[in-house]
Amino acid sequence: MKKLVTALIGAGLLSAAIGIAHAAVTAEEAKKLGTTLTLVGAEKAGNKEGTIPEYTGGLTTPPAGFVKGSNVRPDPFANEKPLFSIDAKNIAQYADNLTEGTKALMKAHADYRIDVYKTHRTAAYPKFVLDNTVKNATKATLDENGDPRGARAGIPFPIPKSGQEVMVNFMARFNGNSFTIPKYSAFNVDSSGKLVLSTQGTYINESLYYDDSKTEDPTLLARVRANYSGPARRAGEQIMTQEMFAYGDKGRRAWQYLPGQRRVRLAPDLAYDTPNSSTSGMSTYDDVSMYNGKMDRYDFKLIGKKEMYVPYNTYKFTYHDKAEDVFQAKFINPSIVRWELHRVWVVEAKLKEGKRHIYSKRTFYIDEDSWNILASDQYDGRGQLWRPGFGYIAPAYEVSAPISSANGHYDLIAGTYYINMWPGVGGVKISDTRMPDSAWTPDSMAGSGVR
């Protein structure tokens, strides 16, 4: 790995491999935050080539054209042109900075390309998140189960020592106290190029971990509710999940309302590699948001940090008004997706011995600035690259929330792909207000059910 930006953290890698708990960093090491590192742990300096700039606080000023209170965010870089493109013809020149999935797509499709733009480090955070992240650096630990302890309302491990800590940072990333996608869509594109609406509905995600009014350690990380309105066969369905901050020996709490049965039932199977009906089975439940849920089936190994070409500042894609122009045959329209060079943490997840999952290995590429997973390579039981995926970050600059909502995977074997959580013109609403606890009960689901 020639262009490794940061040396592997030897002690961390060793401890991750043998699965022991980690202590917080020392006060001396934490002094890097705000000096050589940003307050959330990214390298503050740009790279020596000048292709990644210094971090200066992110983008916090909306561009002209942004309407206060709107869920749709104009592209602040709409006037920029691509610096260059990468495709099958020049892939060798850039191979070390491309994920295996990106390279596989270029090799499979001669007309697939990525358009690379100037890099902008736009991720920004509210002050309380930054303050708490600094506190977490010397307090947060992993217990014997790999669950976080001692962290609240900030990135838990801004100076991570293991793959598990990087993944916990991803799980606890800041997407605002609450965000709602009023009308999200999930589309499938089959091998013939046919675009099919798989699911449409409202998605609500409330982060309880970032409730800064609490002083005790959090119990719940987040709660999520999806109310489906389409297509007709799914209209009226609902699911609700509660994600634990530290799972221990418990699993995800999930409920499902099916209008045909007119009742709410516990749904513990909405997890891991259960086929996700929202994508008509083209993904797993833990593919949502690139990964989610309990992390007990994999060993997460920290490979290091690399400079990679990844989708970034994807405002044009995220808020596009015509799905037919975006989701074309074989792959997403390359002219609509912006790619930039960013530093990412590389974490390799290998299935534990005795555990079952359709993915035997997964490689995650996690943004150093936002802690979002921007890309992944997922391998089948034979070790063959199967479903590479991408997360499409478009930070909410008006509220300093580096949110990434839309995500999806390509199936290299079937020649298909899907996109999930795509907001389109309905946009994404970020709010500091959470719904009352009474709105997050099975009774509430039943009461609001469509019959």
Side-chain angles (χ1 to χ4, degrees), residues 187-190 275-277 279-284 287 359 387 409 411 414 416-418:
F187 290 103
N188 292 2
V189 178
D190 67 19
N276 186 356
S277 56
T279 61
S280 301
M282 288 181 67
S283 66
T284 63
D287 275 334
Y359 303 134
R387 288 177 175 169
H409 292 81
D411 188 322
T416 60
Y417 73 92
Y418 78 91

Side-chain angles (χ1 to χ4, degrees), residues 187-218:
F187 290 103
N188 292 2
V189 178
D190 67 19
S191 58
S192 69
K194 183 181 179 181
L195 176 66
V196 177
L197 176 65
S198 182
T199 295
Q200 202 162 57
T202 301
Y203 180 91
I204 305 168
N205 182 311
E206 291 191 349
S207 171
L208 302 183
Y209 172 74
Y210 280 99
D211 185 349
D212 198 35
S213 66
K214 307 289 186 183
T215 56
E216 66 273 17
D217 284 356

Side-chain angles (χ1 to χ4, degrees), residues 257-271:
Y257 175 82
L258 298 174
Q261 299 178 7
R262 298 184 177 182
R263 67 182 180 90
V264 177
R265 66 177 182 87
L266 287 170
D269 54 333
L270 300 183

Side-chain angles (χ1 to χ4, degrees), residues 114-423:
I114 63 171
D115 292 339
V116 179
Y117 291 75
K118 178 182 178 181
T119 295
H120 294 280
R121 298 178 69 177
T122 49
Y125 298 85
K127 185 176 183 300
F128 83 92
V129 174
L130 299 175
D131 291 346
N132 287 321
T133 297
V134 174
K135 295 175 184 176
N136 291 341
T138 54
K139 293 172 57 181
T141 60
L142 291 180
D143 66 16
E144 66 277 9
N145 296 316
D147 286 325
R149 302 289 180 182
R152 55 176 295 278
I155 303 302
F157 302 103
I159 308 177
K161 303 295 186 183
S162 69
Q164 187 83 10
E165 290 185 352
V166 172
M167 292 303 290
V168 169
N169 287 349
F170 160 71
M171 294 291 192
R173 67 199 181 280
F174 182 71
N175 280 330
N177 288 316
S178 170
F179 75 88
T180 299
I181 309 176
K183 190 176 182 179
Y184 82 91
S185 299
F187 290 103
N188 292 2
V189 178
D190 67 19
S191 58
S192 69
K194 183 181 179 181
L195 176 66
V196 177
L197 176 65
S198 182
T199 295
Q200 202 162 57
T202 301
Y203 180 91
I204 305 168
N205 182 311
E206 291 191 349
S207 171
L208 302 183
Y209 172 74
Y210 280 99
D211 185 349
D212 198 35
S213 66
K214 307 289 186 183
T215 56
E216 66 273 17
D217 284 356
T219 300
L220 290 180
L221 179 68
R223 51 193 182 191
V224 171
R225 187 159 169 176
N227 302 328
Y228 303 120
S229 57
R233 59 180 168 75
R234 299 213 66 190
E237 287 185 32
Q238 302 175 53
I239 63 169
M240 181 172 69
T241 62
Q242 293 182 351
E243 305 296 341
M244 310 300 291
F245 183 61
Y247 281 97
D249 58 357
K250 299 178 180 176
R252 163 180 287 161
R253 302 183 67 186
W255 296 265
Q256 185 174 34
Y257 175 82
L258 298 174
Q261 299 178 7
R262 298 184 177 182
R263 67 182 180 90
V264 177
R265 66 177 182 87
L266 287 170
D269 54 333
L270 300 183
Y272 298 116
D273 59 353
T274 300
N276 186 356
S277 56
S278 289
T279 61
S280 301
M282 288 181 67
S283 66
T284 63
Y285 270 99
D286 66 7
D287 275 334
V288 176
S289 299
M290 304 300 285
Y291 190 79
N292 69 87
K294 194 172 182 179
M295 299 192 295
D296 60 330
R297 294 196 179 182
Y298 291 93
D299 289 318
F300 295 93
K301 180 181 178 182
L302 179 58
I303 303 300
K305 201 189 280 186
K306 288 195 70 177
E307 295 177 2
M308 302 292 283
Y309 293 110
V310 285
Y312 215 99
N313 293 314
T314 60
Y315 298 92
K316 184 177 181 180
F317 165 82
T318 299
Y319 300 114
H320 205 282
D321 60 350
K322 293 182 180 177
E324 295 77 9
D325 290 346
V326 179
F327 306 111
Q328 300 183 342
K330 300 184 291 185
F331 45 77
I332 294 173
N333 185 346
S335 299
I336 292 175
V337 181
R338 180 187 179 103
W339 293 66
E340 299 180 0
L341 184 68
H342 283 264
R343 284 185 290 241
V344 296
W345 293 97
V346 183
V347 174
E348 183 179 274
K350 281 192 174 179
L351 191 61
K352 290 181 177 178
E353 187 173 347
K355 295 290 186 179
R356 184 192 62 80
H357 199 290
I358 63 170
Y359 303 134
S360 62
K361 187 178 79 169
R362 310 163 93 162
T363 303
F364 297 108
Y365 304 87
I366 299 107
D367 180 27
E368 68 165 348
D369 288 327
S370 71
W371 294 102
N372 280 292
I373 294 177
L374 302 177
S376 70
D377 296 323
Q378 305 193 123
Y379 297 79
D380 65 14
R382 300 166 297 176
Q384 182 175 343
L385 180 59
W386 180 17
R387 288 177 175 169
F390 302 96
Y392 301 87
I393 181 173
Y397 33 68
E398 81 283 10
V399 290
S400 297
I403 189 169
S404 172
S405 58
N407 58 89
H409 292 81
Y410 290 90
D411 188 322
L412 296 174
I413 298 173
T416 60
Y417 73 92
Y418 78 91
I419 192 75
N420 197 5
M421 312 286 290
W422 186 65

